[in-house]
């Protein structure tokens, strides 16, 4: 069963705008992570947020986690053309289960 | 990139032939994973390993087998390739010591005709 579901599936914005992507999941988690994938490349870890955290920042990235709604959001501020990529959320359960990835959001940042 | 390489990077094969993909890491990480990536599905776990000769099945393991005879190598074998196994295959490692981050290899594009 698929744990994470990103929303929207695709997002197109202008350079300088903010981009927000959402992830919903179904069962209790230990942590939730966001990864970026540039075209034709492997995934790159961006940020991890644990179930007892509500918000984390890393540079232009801001991640929030609402465990009551089983959802997370990734905000990229002041987007750049280089942010064009697919973004995936991945969840890990409380009992050492493996990671489960969502289908991803394709972000296009237009110059 | 945690020193992860995958080989081959591209392969075209015919239905019914065996195929082996190799994942190699240089930093002696304990946990290794094989995923496949298909449009609309994100990454799905095929098999994983938590040490030499210690492997287990993931979500989509049917038609695949793995072996890990050395810490640095994790092999994925398609015993008899089918067109449904056309995909991009990613290997990943996870750091030990309670760390949760996964590091991914560059991927192998497999086309089964």
């Amino acid at each position: 069963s698929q744990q994470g579901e990103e929303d929207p599936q695709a997002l197109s914005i202008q350079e300088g705008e903010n981009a927000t992507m959402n992830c919903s999941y179904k069962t209790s988690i230990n942590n939730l992570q966001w990864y970026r994938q540039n075209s034709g490349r492997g995934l790159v870890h961006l940020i991890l947020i644990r179930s007892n955290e509500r918000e984390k920042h890393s540079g232009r990235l801001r991640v929030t986690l609402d465990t009551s709604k089983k959802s997370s959001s990734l905000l990229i501020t002041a987007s750049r053309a280089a942010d064009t990529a697919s973004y995936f959320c991945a969840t890990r359960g409380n009992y050492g289960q493996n990671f489960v990835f969502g289908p991803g959001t394709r972000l296009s940042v237009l110059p | 990139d945690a020193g992860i390489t995958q080989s081959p990077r591209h392969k075209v094969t015919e239905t019914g032939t065996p195929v082996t993909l190799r994942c190699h890491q240089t930093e002696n990480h304990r946990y290794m994973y094989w995923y496949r990536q298909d449009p609309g599905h994100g990454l799905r776990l095929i098999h994983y390993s938590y040490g030499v000769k210690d492997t287990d099945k993931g979500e989509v393991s049917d038609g695949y087998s793995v072996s890990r005879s050395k810490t640095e190598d994790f092999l994925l074998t398609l015993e008899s390739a089918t067109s449904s196994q056309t995909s991009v295959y990613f290997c990943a490692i996870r750091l030990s010591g309670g760390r949760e981050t996964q590091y991914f290899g560059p991927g192998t594009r497999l086309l089964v005709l």
Side-chain angles (χ1 to χ4, degrees):
Chain A
S1 62
Q2 194 154 299
Q3 174 78 311
E5 294 279 348
E6 289 93 346
D7 167 55
Q9 291 187 357
L11 179 61
S12 184
I13 59 173
Q14 295 293 130
E15 212 167 18
E17 294 180 338
N18 295 340
T20 300
M21 289 159 270
N22 303 297
C23 171
S24 60
Y25 57 92
K26 297 177 182 175
T27 61
S28 296
I29 60 170
N30 174 278
N31 67 78
L32 184 146
Q33 302 178 43
W34 286 92
Y35 288 80
R36 184 188 75 231
Q37 183 181 35
N38 291 92
S39 181
R41 309 290 293 272
L43 277 71
V44 174
H45 181 260
L46 294 176
I47 196 166
L48 178 152
I49 187 166
R50 298 194 181 277
S51 60
N52 61 352
E53 298 175 309
R54 292 297 168 258
E55 186 171 315
K56 282 190 83 169
H57 296 256
S58 177
R60 294 184 296 111
L61 305 180
R62 172 178 168 250
V63 170
T64 61
L65 179 65
D66 187 335
T67 53
S68 67
K69 295 181 179 179
K70 293 186 170 56
S71 68
S72 172
S73 67
L74 170 67
L75 168 67
I76 303 174
T77 60
S79 62
R80 306 165 182 169
D83 295 327
T84 294
S86 291
Y87 292 82
F88 297 87
C89 68
T91 55
R92 185 162 156 86
N94 285 318
Y95 302 102
Q97 298 95 323
N98 291 304
F99 299 90
V100 179
F101 286 81
T105 293
R106 292 190 314 277
L107 173 66
S108 297
V109 181
L110 306 175
Chain B
D1 63 0
I4 304 168
T5 58
Q6 293 185 230
S7 59
R9 294 291 315 281
H10 303 270
K11 186 169 182 67
V12 180
T13 191
E14 294 186 348
T15 298
T17 59
V19 176
T20 296
L21 309 182
R22 179 184 183 231
C23 177
H24 179 79
Q25 56 143 329
T26 60
E27 300 181 5
N28 293 323
H29 296 295
R30 178 181 175 190
Y31 299 97
M32 299 184 76
Y33 303 81
W34 275 109
Y35 292 91
R36 60 177 289 173
Q37 184 176 32
D38 305 287
H41 289 278
L43 272 74
R44 291 182 291 174
L45 182 64
I46 305 172
H47 282 278
Y48 64 99
S49 171
Y50 43 95
V52 173
K53 299 191 188 307
D54 290 324
T55 64
D56 208 344
K57 296 178 180 180
E59 178 187 357
V60 290
S61 60
D62 287 349
Y64 302 94
S65 63
V66 290
S67 66
R68 193 168 178 199
S69 58
K70 298 185 291 185
T71 300
E72 59 265 36
D73 288 325
F74 192 29
L75 304 180
L76 176 70
T77 297
L78 291 65
E79 302 289 348
S80 178
T82 67
S83 59
S84 65
Q85 293 175 311
T86 291
S87 187
V88 182
Y89 292 85
F90 287 98
C91 172
I93 63 94
R94 179 169 68 88
L95 304 182
S96 304
R99 289 170 285 182
E100 298 285 321
T101 302
Q102 287 192 309
Y103 293 89
F104 285 81
T108 294
R109 289 188 174 275
L110 176 66
L111 174 61
V112 183
L113 300 175

